[in-house]
Amino acid sequence: MQYFSLHNQSPLVDFKQATINGQAPDKGLYFPTNLPALELDFIKNINQYSNEEIAFTVIAPYVGNAIPSSILQDIVAQTINFSIPLVSITQRISALEMFHGNTLAFKDVGARFMSRCLGYFVKDQDAKVTVLVATSGDTGGAVADGFFDVEGVEVVILYPSGKVSTVQEKQLTTLGNNIKAIEVNGTFDDCQRMVKLAFMDEDLKSNLFLTSANSINVARWLPQQFFYFLAYKQWNDKKNPPVIAVPSGNFGNICAGLLALKTGLPIKHFLAACNANEVVPDFIRTGEYKPQQSIPTISNAMDVGDPSNFVRILHLFDNDINKLKSVFSAVSISDEQTKSTLEKVYAEHQYIMDPHGAVGYCALENYLHSHPLDAGIFAETAHPVKFFDVVEPVISEKIKLPSTIEHLMNKEKVAIKMDAHFNDLKSYLLS
Ligand SMILES: *Cc1c(COP(=O)(O)O)cnc(C)c1O
């Protein structure tokens, strides 16, 4: 499989080069030159395949010759080494729990897959690869966990001091080994600026093999399709495929779902559930795409004012808004609606959602109200304990810590403190 840049000014590359580059040299996002078509029999008989077989069948055409089949099979098995259950909440609404991985958010799937692919690609080269990433919370934990102990790869994570949750900080700072955490005396924007400068710095470029683990990387984007195939496998009423609501920020997860749909997965409709950051809902309504400053909300992993992956979605539908609208809609849900949905679903069904999942639930419920023959799934993208400060006051209950997290809370934090100066980061990386 070859990949081209959506800016059309870069050479074609294979999966290996697209993964190593992250972004194309012309700053465009990589996109596959042709979409594989799934065999009808594979979809019809999906319940006869194991999760690993399904994931392998889905991803293999995108990887092409870049990784031998037997190794790709191992990578796939390690990527989905946890359950992704479909849990029924009401007669017409089910939750797809994407959060049973190590860091309790769906980002584990993309991070685990990418880290293992990159580990394979750098195996035979002498230079160590340094993965540099800035995080506002969930990404850093998933990347740290995914790359932990991957040989030949060193990971440096920058996070803003005092601005990530306790659980998130522990996930970043307690692994050690090849994972280094830098606690920046500044904001997330400072961290991101320092990382961007590092990628442009000539000294660093000539001394280190630097790469990013950004969510636009094809090796993080493509494996997220697994969620949608496994959802369909567990969907009982195959004659009436589900509507799927996906809490969306950078639109990577839902873009993977739409890709699955394009290659033959039967999904009735995709619903992008956004918080107050409503660039895409506005676009669907007006036809105009206007990036905004991000607005802080209680579903903060979706506080994105200019979602990077949306260009990929447009490309999937030939940049034709009407084609897109036939299978996709987007809505904005307020913090007030999010909280009242959390409260109601707990009171009526004893199901505890996280704020992102609650945005998805609310969007889906509204949609089903005007589509009485449909039924659907919302993506529960994080474990509620990751956002206990928001959830516990709303439901007036304490959330039990999963044993993996309890164990983490007793570990000691190790971080390098740094002011928000690029030169300090540069000397650290060169030392
Ligand atoms: C990252 C994240 C999202 C948003 O996913 P995108 O792929 O960026 O749209 C939603 N929920 C949670 C919990 C996240 O961590």
Side-chain angles (χ1 to χ4, degrees):
M1 176 71 79
Q2 301 255 286
Y3 293 81
F4 69 101
S5 162
L6 286 176
H7 287 178
N8 289 312
Q9 306 289 320
S10 296
L12 293 181
V13 293
D14 69 356
F15 178 77
K16 172 179 177 177
Q17 206 54 49
T19 299
I20 292 174
N21 290 358
Q23 203 165 18
D26 63 10
K27 305 283 176 241
L29 271 62
Y30 282 118
F31 199 93
T33 46
N34 62 298
L35 299 186
L38 290 161
E39 289 185 25
L40 243 50
D41 272 352
F42 170 66
I43 297 296
K44 222 172 82 192
N45 302 323
I46 196 158
N47 287 79
Q48 295 170 16
Y49 295 95
S50 69
N51 289 358
E52 288 78 8
E53 286 167 337
I54 292 170
F56 179 82
T57 305
V58 169
I59 204 74
Y62 295 96
V63 175
N65 300 326
I67 302 176
S69 289
S70 61
I71 292 177
L72 185 60
Q73 270 164 357
D74 289 345
I75 292 177
V76 161
Q78 290 166 20
T79 299
I80 50 165
N81 69 341
F82 52 87
S83 65
I84 303 173
L86 187 66
V87 177
S88 157
I89 314 289
T90 74
Q91 261 193 350
R92 294 169 69 205
I93 298 183
S94 304
L96 185 70
E97 296 186 347
M98 301 180 170
F99 59 73
H100 293 282
N102 284 351
T103 73
L104 307 182
F106 81 88
K107 290 187 176 73
D108 279 329
V109 162
R112 288 176 80 79
F113 187 77
M114 179 187 167
S115 59
R116 282 156 180 82
C117 290
L118 200 60
Y120 174 76
F121 295 145
V122 304
K123 217 165 33 111
D124 302 321
Q125 68 177 44
D126 298 333
K128 252 197 175 170
V129 172
T130 303
V131 172
L132 190 61
V133 64
T135 184
S136 57
D138 277 349
T139 298
V143 168
D145 184 79
F147 280 93
F148 181 62
D149 266 354
V150 172
E151 247 173 79
V153 182
E154 176 109 353
V155 178
V156 179
I157 301 169
L158 280 73
Y159 72 97
S161 182
K163 295 186 181 67
V164 301
S165 78
T166 316
V167 173
Q168 287 170 333
E169 185 169 46
K170 289 281 185 185
Q171 288 176 336
L172 296 174
T173 58
T174 58
L175 286 169
N177 220 352
N178 63 327
I179 311 293
K180 306 284 185 289
I182 299 185
E183 180 176 3
V184 175
N185 188 11
T187 61
F188 170 63
D189 291 338
D190 291 324
C191 297
Q192 214 167 21
R193 179 179 48 80
M194 290 162 77
V195 166
K196 277 194 180 148
L197 287 171
F199 284 116
M200 294 190 303
D201 190 88
E202 293 304 326
D203 291 338
L204 288 175
K205 269 198 222 167
S206 54
N207 281 287
L208 292 173
F209 191 63
L210 270 190
T211 187
S212 90
N214 196 292
S215 68
I216 57 168
N217 195 298
V218 293
R220 279 190 60 187
W221 169 44
L222 297 169
Q224 297 176 129
Q225 294 180 90
F226 302 163
F227 292 127
Y228 301 92
F229 285 89
L230 299 183
Y232 182 71
K233 180 185 175 185
Q234 296 171 80
W235 185 253
N236 286 329
D237 189 4
K238 298 275 199 286
K239 287 205 186 69
N240 188 23
V243 173
I244 302 189
V246 187
S248 295
N250 231 344
F251 282 70
N253 194 358
I254 197 168
C255 183
L258 288 162
L259 180 62
L261 170 85
K262 275 280 174 183
T263 55
L265 184 69
I267 300 296
K268 191 168 262 174
H269 195 82
F270 274 96
L271 183 54
C274 302
N275 56 27
N277 294 277
E278 53 181 338
V279 185
V280 174
D282 281 349
F283 169 77
I284 293 297
R285 210 177 48 244
T286 65
E288 262 186 281
Y289 186 84
K290 285 199 220 145
Q292 306 282 340
Q293 285 276 34
S294 67
I295 302 164
T297 72
I298 57 168
S299 47
N300 59 12
M302 313 200 296
D303 296 348
V304 180
D306 184 9
S308 349
N309 279 292
F310 196 62
V311 286
R312 281 189 173 133
I313 293 181
L314 287 175
H315 186 81
L316 269 174
F317 292 88
D318 310 321
N319 292 300
D320 179 340
I321 188 172
N322 291 319
K323 281 190 195 170
L324 175 61
K325 276 157 96 170
S326 67
V327 288
F328 173 93
S329 43
V331 294
S332 163
I333 304 294
S334 71
D335 278 358
E336 283 318 304
Q337 288 171 294
T338 306
K339 283 189 200 166
S340 61
T341 306
L342 261 176
E343 190 180 8
K344 186 188 78 171
V345 172
Y346 181 61
E348 291 176 5
H349 308 288
Q350 293 73 54
Y351 187 76
I352 306 177
M353 299 184 291
D354 98 293
H356 305 79
V359 169
Y361 187 103
C362 184
L364 179 61
E365 188 176 46
N366 293 344
Y367 182 91
L368 292 181
H369 204 72
S370 50
H371 296 79
L373 300 179
D374 291 347
I377 295 169
F378 71 98
E380 179 45 302
T381 47
H383 190 296
V385 81
K386 257 194 138 166
F387 300 91
F388 67 83
D389 46 338
V390 175
V391 178
E392 286 181 351
V394 175
I395 62 170
S396 311
E397 281 292 336
K398 273 218 121 16
I399 305 172
K400 233 178 106 221
L401 278 182
S403 55
T404 43
I405 293 295
E406 225 173 348
H407 160 78
L408 198 68
M409 296 313 245
N410 298 325
K411 284 202 181 163
E412 200 184 332
K413 157 185 165 183
V414 180
I416 298 141
K417 293 204 185 238
M418 195 178 278
D419 281 327
H421 299 142
F422 169 64
N423 278 332
D424 293 355
L425 175 64
K426 181 169 170 177
S427 347
Y428 171 77
L429 290 171
L430 289 173
S431 70

